[in-house]
Amino acid sequence: MLNFNFTPFPVIETERLILRRITDDDVNEVFELRSNPETMKYIPRPLVKTTEDALGHIAMIEEKIVKNEGVNWGITLKGSPEIIGIIGFYRLQPENYRAEIGYMLLPEFHGKGIITEALKRLISYGFDDIKLHSIEAVIDPENFASEKVLQKCNFVKEAHLKEAEFYDGKFLDKVIYSLINR
């Protein structure tokens, strides 16, 4: 079984990005991401309504890091401290050497390869540094942009689960993609 330890917190760099720890100082950016109906369109979670909600979300992210149950990074462009997105391993399964990855990005940064760049770097971090055997991503079947990113990063569709989640009064399908460390 894997043992995760995110202390010290791993700051990760790519050609254009710095993936860093999210702090209370990022409350406005987290609020912007989590309160935006466009950003949250395919994420079956309630929109944050106040900065207190955003602080609560940051506290939840921090608690998972401290307990080594999950890890999320704020996505920033080099030279700018503002978070434009969030990416991370949301569900760690140490007994299966597997983790679920998820991401979100402000709409004005869509189509620029930012998520693909961050995802490729986190794949290598997941396989090389924390020794995962596989990474999964669970997406809404209508989220074609996310599907395209996953396919670009060599993820393979494993399943399409029909009406597998009940949220906001309706049953939702979900699609599972995975990547195995070969």
Side-chain angles (χ1 to χ4, degrees):
M1 173 149 53
L2 286 178
N3 287 311
F4 299 111
N5 185 354
F6 302 111
T7 304
F9 186 83
V11 175
I12 295 176
E13 201 170 316
T14 70
E15 185 181 330
R16 299 180 294 164
L17 309 172
I18 293 179
L19 309 180
R20 64 163 177 82
R21 194 172 205 146
I22 299 168
T23 70
D24 286 352
D25 292 339
D26 301 309
V27 65
N28 293 330
E29 290 91 342
V30 171
F31 177 81
E32 188 177 355
L33 280 160
R34 301 290 301 193
S35 68
N36 184 328
E38 181 63 25
T39 306
M40 296 294 291
K41 183 176 182 179
Y42 298 113
I43 301 173
R45 301 288 176 269
L47 296 176
V48 299
K49 295 187 178 3
T50 65
T51 53
E52 287 75 28
D53 291 346
L55 285 169
H57 188 72
I58 293 168
M60 182 266 305
I61 288 171
E62 184 63 24
E63 181 181 353
K64 286 185 180 290
I65 292 167
V66 169
K67 291 181 173 180
N68 297 305
E69 294 172 353
V71 59
N72 285 282
W73 290 264
I75 302 170
T76 65
L77 296 171
K78 283 185 176 173
S80 174
E82 281 91 34
I83 287 175
I84 60 169
I86 298 172
I87 189 167
F89 294 113
Y90 288 82
R91 287 185 191 88
L92 298 174
Q93 301 171 34
E95 68 282 4
N96 297 318
Y97 293 74
R98 188 172 176 102
E100 179 184 337
I101 200 162
Y103 41 81
M104 63 186 338
L105 189 68
L106 288 171
E108 58 265 34
F109 295 97
H110 288 182
K112 299 178 187 317
I114 291 169
I115 290 297
T116 302
E117 185 174 327
L119 182 57
K120 284 181 177 178
R121 182 59 187 90
L122 279 193
I123 290 167
S124 65
Y125 174 79
F127 289 157
D128 300 336
D129 295 288
I130 61 174
K131 306 301 182 202
L132 296 171
H133 173 68
S134 60
I135 299 170
E136 70 181 38
V138 181
I139 64 169
D140 183 301
E142 300 295 312
N143 192 345
F144 302 117
S146 190
E147 180 179 54
K148 192 173 170 183
V149 166
L150 292 169
Q151 290 169 345
K152 250 191 246 178
C153 293
N154 300 314
F155 279 71
V156 175
K157 186 176 180 178
E158 279 190 351
H160 183 136
L161 304 175
K162 299 286 190 178
E163 299 183 7
E165 186 170 347
F166 187 73
Y167 178 75
D168 202 24
K170 54 187 174 259
F171 291 96
L172 306 173
D173 287 9
K174 59 184 176 183
V175 174
I176 300 171
Y177 275 83
S178 74
L179 184 64
I180 296 175
N181 187 10
R182 296 279 179 214

